[in-house]
Amino acid sequence: MTPSDIEFDKQHIWHPYTSLISPLPCIGVVGAQGVKLTLDDGRQIIDGMSSWWSTIHGYNNPRLNQAAKDQIDKMSHVMFGGITHPSAVALCRRLVEMTAKPLNRVFLSDSGSVAVEVALKMAIQYWVAKGKPQKSRMLTIENGYHGDTFAAMSVCDPVNGMHELFNNVLTQQLFAKAPQVAFGEAWNEDDIKPLEALFEHHHQHAAAIILEPIVQGAGGMRMYHPNYLKAVRRLCDKYDVLLICDEIATGFGRTGKLFAYEHSDIVPDILCLGKALTGGYMSLAATITSQAIGEMVCKTDAGVFMHGPTFMGNPLACAVASESLAILQQGDWQQQVSNIEAQLKAQFAPFEQLDVVADVRVLGAIGVIELHNPVDMESITNAFVENGVWIRPFGKLVYIMPQYIMSERELKSLTSAIYNVVSQL
Ligand SMILES: *Cc1c(COP(=O)(O)O)cnc(C)c1O
């Protein structure tokens, strides 16, 4: 990329969560291979973010490339209303196989936020059909993140989310304090008390509870005790509230289980998937429920579920996603993620001695260094790039979620670079 390309970008293009008044410069990336990004000056740097949890099998993966090429020569797109096609069937067959047994009805959509909107609409329509339209509000926990569209925003953390700006238009949902007992700590029954109280007081108006199982991602990178999620399932059964697990970040092996709800041995009523679904090749998401819930959703006067994106079930995205799941079904991810977890635990341990570090957390292929103070984004990102890695912290959190294919040496380079940078803060 020429300097004038970068300048054009700065003048005319909007990036995620950025100011147009004082935009931070972007780095130009012109290629990617395996776990590395190629910068426009020819440098190669190790990507610690998997492009926001998604590129689990690495960039330019030969099998995913082939799946895309094969599909593009057959049919890039066809509408999904009244039409089906082999890649959607192949993908949904795998999704039904891989998820817990009752989850056997798949609704495809374009992005994670939309998958969440779809889940919330399903839950609301379900109660309308059951003759309890007053059950229309959502329960959730603090520190959650569920996307940037309006209904999704309404269940994001009220403080670090976007509530303040949009308060006048967001549906007021019902929040409980986030779980405090961390994954790996001794369980304490008191942890569920705030949520229990919320259920007791509000279940008559609650359609569903939505939460990220075990790992809360963009709302704080917190990892909580599996017994908490077990207790959530029990409360849902006791008070007749649907359980929506948002596994858009945690799904497909990231936490060491194929789906994070497996840590708690529970089954959600509705499951949201996205991010890694296509191995990071393109945008695709899914909302999965049971036949029984799906049938109830369709018993309103409308007679149908009221949703249908233009690009629903896009064949290109489905073909790549199906191949990505085929790679997962071969099972190497289990050893890969468990190796990454062991290495991260060992190499993150010395961080605990640093004064700037408040907490270190590792689960599966997720490593989090929580600092005492928020980082300066521009200087820390530059320092990482100079140390040969791509890491994009937010607030006090420096975190990585490597591609499952990352080698021991590459991961060592990544953790050493983080140590170099963080110990200089
Ligand atoms: C990223 C994310 C979303 C939103 O997905 P988009 O594809 O960015 O719309 C929703 N929920 C969770 C848990 C996420 O991590």
Side-chain angles (χ1 to χ4, degrees):
M1 297 176 85
T2 63
S4 85
D5 288 340
I6 301 285
E7 192 52 32
F8 181 91
D9 179 289
K10 208 170 156 186
Q11 300 292 338
H12 298 286
I13 307 183
W14 227 319
H15 286 266
Y17 304 101
T18 50
S19 165
L20 298 191
I21 299 158
S22 54
L24 298 182
C26 282
I27 61 166
V29 171
V30 294
Q33 178 67 43
V35 303
K36 291 184 180 153
L37 307 177
T38 306
L39 308 189
D40 53 6
D41 61 8
R43 269 184 298 171
Q44 292 205 323
I45 60 175
I46 297 176
D47 173 26
M49 307 302 292
S50 293
S51 282
W52 280 334
W53 313 79
S54 66
T55 56
I56 53 177
H57 310 301
Y59 296 98
N60 237 344
N61 181 289
R63 287 181 59 176
L64 300 184
N65 284 7
Q66 197 56 50
K69 285 173 188 161
D70 291 347
Q71 184 60 45
I72 213 166
D73 285 335
K74 287 184 202 136
M75 167 172 70
S76 293
H77 185 59
V78 66
M79 65 186 282
F80 213 46
I83 289 175
T84 190
H85 55 79
S87 346
V89 174
L91 168 63
C92 294
R93 197 171 255 144
R94 290 191 200 278
L95 284 171
V96 169
E97 260 167 38
M98 291 167 93
T99 53
K101 210 159 186 202
L103 300 171
N104 58 5
R105 276 284 170 178
V106 185
F107 191 100
L108 297 168
S109 60
D110 328 70
S111 75
S113 301
V114 175
V116 168
E117 299 281 331
V118 165
L120 301 180
K121 280 173 76 171
M122 278 180 184
I124 291 167
Q125 233 186 280
Y126 174 89
W127 290 111
V128 170
K130 273 202 150 178
K132 293 185 178 174
Q134 71 280 11
K135 280 172 81 72
S136 64
R137 307 198 46 206
M138 299 297 152
L139 308 179
T140 189
I141 55 177
E142 290 174 353
N143 286 103
Y145 176 76
H146 299 285
D148 293 350
T149 52
F150 273 93
M153 269 200 292
S154 76
V155 285
C156 288
D157 185 88
V159 178
N160 71 24
M162 293 153 273
H163 284 245
E164 212 161 298
L165 272 176
F166 298 103
N167 233 350
N168 290 335
V169 276
L170 285 185
T171 310
Q172 298 300 306
Q173 310 291 16
L174 300 155
F175 290 84
K177 191 174 161 195
Q180 301 299 307
V181 180
F183 194 96
E185 279 181 6
W187 173 241
N188 176 352
E189 289 289 340
D190 288 346
D191 212 27
I192 197 69
K193 293 269 159 67
L195 187 64
E196 199 166 18
L198 200 70
F199 269 87
E200 269 172 39
H201 290 120
H202 298 290
H203 65 93
Q204 278 131 339
H205 300 282
I209 177 168
I210 179 165
L211 76 183
E212 297 150 280
I214 308 299
V215 179
Q216 297 185 286
M221 300 299 297
R222 303 170 86 257
M223 300 159 177
Y224 62 86
H225 200 289
N227 283 357
Y228 187 91
L229 188 60
K230 270 191 205 210
V232 173
R233 179 70 267 181
R234 281 197 297 272
L235 289 170
C236 286
D237 295 340
K238 179 173 172 192
Y239 289 108
D240 223 3
V241 169
L242 295 174
L243 172 54
I244 303 171
C245 281
D246 178 351
E247 295 238 17
I248 290 165
T250 52
F252 304 114
R254 182 55 68 180
T255 68
K257 302 273 188 190
L258 197 50
F259 299 102
Y261 64 72
E262 295 171 15
H263 285 284
S264 304
D265 227 356
I266 60 119
V267 179
D269 298 305
I270 303 176
L271 174 67
C272 300
L273 299 171
K275 288 202 162 93
L277 177 57
T278 63
Y281 267 52
M282 55 197 99
S283 188
L284 183 71
T287 308
I288 312 181
T289 191
S290 64
Q291 179 67 20
I293 291 173
E295 278 180 17
M296 184 53 70
V297 166
C298 300
K299 284 184 183 162
T300 62
D301 292 342
V304 296
F305 178 53
M306 287 303 239
H307 207 94
T310 305
F311 287 99
M312 184 168 179
N314 172 257
L316 257 183
C318 288
V320 179
S322 180
E323 189 65 11
S324 175
L325 300 194
I327 297 173
L328 286 174
Q329 282 180 314
Q330 287 170 350
D332 294 344
W333 68 270
Q334 264 169 312
Q335 195 57 52
Q336 291 166 334
V337 171
S338 126
N339 291 348
I340 291 172
E341 178 176 47
Q343 198 180 338
L344 282 178
K345 280 186 172 157
Q347 290 169 2
F348 272 12
F351 283 86
E352 298 189 16
Q353 311 306 321
L354 297 175
D355 289 341
V356 289
V357 172
D359 192 26
V360 175
R361 309 190 272 277
V362 173
L363 180 64
I366 309 169
V368 184
I369 312 278
E370 182 165 343
L371 307 171
H372 288 293
N373 296 306
V375 299
D376 175 70
M377 271 296 262
E378 187 173 9
S379 65
I380 199 166
T381 310
N382 287 341
F384 281 132
V385 172
E386 269 151 36
N387 276 272
V389 299
W390 176 245
I391 295 170
R392 193 167 165 82
F394 66 84
K396 299 175 184 176
L397 299 165
V398 175
Y399 64 102
I400 54 171
M401 47 284 203
Q403 294 84 355
Y404 303 167
I405 57 155
M406 190 172 282
S407 72
E408 194 182 333
R409 263 187 59 203
E410 290 159 335
L411 186 56
K412 176 79 177 93
S413 305
L414 189 58
T415 57
S416 303
I418 302 175
Y419 194 84
N420 284 345
V421 172
V422 170
S423 60
Q424 298 296 315
L425 289 175

